[in-house]
Amino acid sequence: MVEVVLMCGPAGSGKSTVAHRLEAAGYARVSFDDHAWRLGHRRHPLTPEQSAEIATEVRASLLALVGEGSDVVVDTSCWSRRSRDEYRVLLAPLGIVPVTWYVETPRDEVLRRVAARGNAGPHDLALEPEVVARFLDGFEVPTPAEGPLLVVDGTGGDAPA
């Protein structure tokens, strides 16, 4: 059975680091930030239209990969329950129940990491402090009531894989 992991956490939490570990273990990785960077987006937040375009690409890539029988890690924030539910609805007809990996990282660590970014690539995107604060304040932490959930230590302590 194909496995899909939904990375979940705000910018700077360590999602991409964990996703890259899963990729090294054999998962295909689909990344919102990679798609955005490839399209030339160097500043966030994106417009709703830009975000929708990229989300469509990410979902199409995900469906193509699972259709090929690949295990996939979706490297995006999945910041709201609605966004996570959209992936669940997308995958349900295929009999796939994704596992949400929530990368739990203290706020001060997230702020420190993002402040150190240099805008050198899709996972080093510089963000204004007020943008990071809005992302953190609007983030909806997943719960087991949503479905399979694994909480990962974003400080690097117990990251699986």
Side-chain angles (χ1 to χ4, degrees):
M1 177 56 106
V2 170
E3 183 173 316
V4 173
V5 171
L6 302 177
M7 295 308 307
C8 178
S13 63
K15 297 179 308 296
S16 294
T17 299
V18 176
H20 282 289
R21 289 184 189 144
L22 285 170
E23 185 178 32
Y27 284 71
R29 186 177 60 83
V30 178
S31 166
F32 184 95
D33 290 340
D34 286 351
H35 282 274
W37 190 265
R38 183 180 46 75
L39 292 172
H41 301 297
R42 303 296 187 262
R43 295 189 53 89
H44 285 246
L46 300 175
T47 67
E49 296 79 17
Q50 291 167 331
S51 290
E53 174 188 5
I54 294 163
T56 298
E57 285 187 22
V58 167
R59 289 184 179 108
S61 295
L62 169 61
L63 289 175
L65 287 163
V66 298
E68 296 168 0
S70 298
D71 293 331
V72 181
V73 56
V74 180
D75 186 6
T76 187
S77 67
C78 285
W79 70 272
S80 67
R81 179 171 184 160
R82 178 179 165 200
S83 66
R84 296 183 293 271
D85 285 345
E86 288 171 355
Y87 280 105
R88 292 182 189 102
V89 168
L90 179 72
L91 294 167
L94 304 173
I96 299 170
V97 178
V99 178
T100 300
W101 284 28
Y102 169 52
V103 183
E104 186 175 54
T105 308
R107 184 182 185 100
D108 60 336
E109 178 65 12
V110 167
L111 293 170
R112 185 194 64 73
R113 288 176 183 173
V114 175
R117 289 180 173 182
N119 227 41
H123 306 287
D124 187 49
L125 198 63
L127 298 169
E128 298 296 325
E130 59 274 4
V131 171
V132 180
R134 276 199 323 265
F135 286 171
L136 288 166
D137 294 343
F139 187 82
E140 297 175 11
V141 175
T143 69
E146 294 179 35
L149 174 66
L150 176 66
V151 178
V152 179
D153 178 359
T155 62
D158 70 356

